Amino acid sequence: MKIGVAGAGAVGSLFGALLANAHHEVTFLARGKHLTRLQERGIKVVTEQYPILNLNNEQTIFTNDIHALASVDILLFCVKSTDTKKLADSLKGVIKDETMIVTMQNGVDNEEILARSLTNNKIFSCATYVQASITEPGCVKESGSHQLLIGALQKEDSNQARKMVDLFQRAGISAKFTEEILNHKWKKLLWNITFNPLSAITKATIGEILESVELSALAKNVAAEAVSVAARQGYPFDKEKVIQSIFKKAAYAKDHQTSMLQDRLNGKAMEYESMCGYVLKLAHET
């Protein structure tokens, strides 16, 4: 199958490479030094689950030309949320109507943006639980294991979502189908909004936040406010249980630098609008 990766950062590079390793034709849309190294040497993937992968074959394409995505059957949408609308608008008239788009991004508003821009395409959502980073141009490293939860925004598209999950599983990717994808995306957003902005402001790892009495208390207050906003949107999570779950998951990622912190350290735009801004917008509205 022809698969496109729109945004070959850490997440896109990792899962695109695993799909390419399963003999799918994968086109990576990348830029900068990462793209240059990919075109020179292919992509290198270092994980704890799989042997080191070095992929550079005729079925693997590295480019910065969106027209190379014209014939893909599945498009993994992995750009930062700050670039969602711009890229979605650029893809109008480029990708075919039959192309299925899977957003693997942070936040819960990208689905709405994609649906508005790409009205002829079916949009699927994926809650992506993974610790991955670009260690050097052309090389992505995964720490620990990963889990993907994939679902359809429209119930009539659920069978296609299940087939997509099967495709991922046959590529050695841990993936599951869910009928409550936005529920899971909200839970992930709650984790992200608790730790991502705080880590970016303080330049602290997850573990350093947990070990600090002041930062840990602040994180819990952030989580509690965000859960209250989620409840107003029809996601009545048990506040205490959700907060316990957020901090339990954080304990397994003590050495992890959040994606927002990585962006700050690398001088890249941070996704604070998709996380903080969107939740604040909903809070004001309700």
Side-chain angles (χ1 to χ4, degrees), residues 86-158:
K86 181 180 179 181
L87 181 58
D89 288 344
S90 297
L91 288 169
K92 290 179 182 177
V94 174
I95 57 174
K96 56 187 182 181
D97 292 348
E98 296 77 21
T99 299
M100 296 178 286
I101 299 172
V102 189
T103 168
M104 305 180 81
Q105 302 163 282
N106 287 323
V108 293
D109 58 336
N110 292 294
E111 290 82 354
E112 183 180 338
I113 296 170
L114 288 169
R116 283 201 303 264
S117 292
L118 300 168
T119 54
N120 294 328
N121 297 93
K122 292 183 178 180
I123 312 296
F124 299 84
S125 187
C126 176
T128 309
Y129 302 96
V130 62
Q131 295 179 49
S133 60
I134 300 292
T135 55
E136 61 179 285
C139 181
V140 58
K141 179 181 180 181
E142 179 187 22
S143 302
S145 58
H146 62 259
Q147 178 68 62
L148 304 184
L149 296 176
I150 299 173
L153 299 184
Q154 304 296 329
K155 194 170 184 179
E156 59 266 26
D157 299 329
S158 292

Side-chain angles (χ1 to χ4, degrees), residues 58-108:
E58 293 181 356
Q59 287 190 301
T60 309
I61 301 169
F62 307 106
T63 182
N64 60 359
D65 181 5
I66 62 169
H67 292 88
L69 301 173
S71 63
V72 300
D73 303 303
I74 297 175
L75 180 63
L76 306 185
F77 208 90
C78 306
V79 298
K80 295 292 184 182
S81 58
T82 51
D83 294 326
T84 299
K85 188 178 188 306
K86 181 180 179 181
L87 181 58
D89 288 344
S90 297
L91 288 169
K92 290 179 182 177
V94 174
I95 57 174
K96 56 187 182 181
D97 292 348
E98 296 77 21
T99 299
M100 296 178 286
I101 299 172
V102 189
T103 168
M104 305 180 81
Q105 302 163 282
N106 287 323
V108 293

Side-chain angles (χ1 to χ4, degrees), residues 172-183:
I173 296 171
S174 180
K176 292 181 180 179
F177 169 78
T178 176
E179 293 182 346
E180 299 181 326
I181 185 57
L182 291 182
N183 184 298

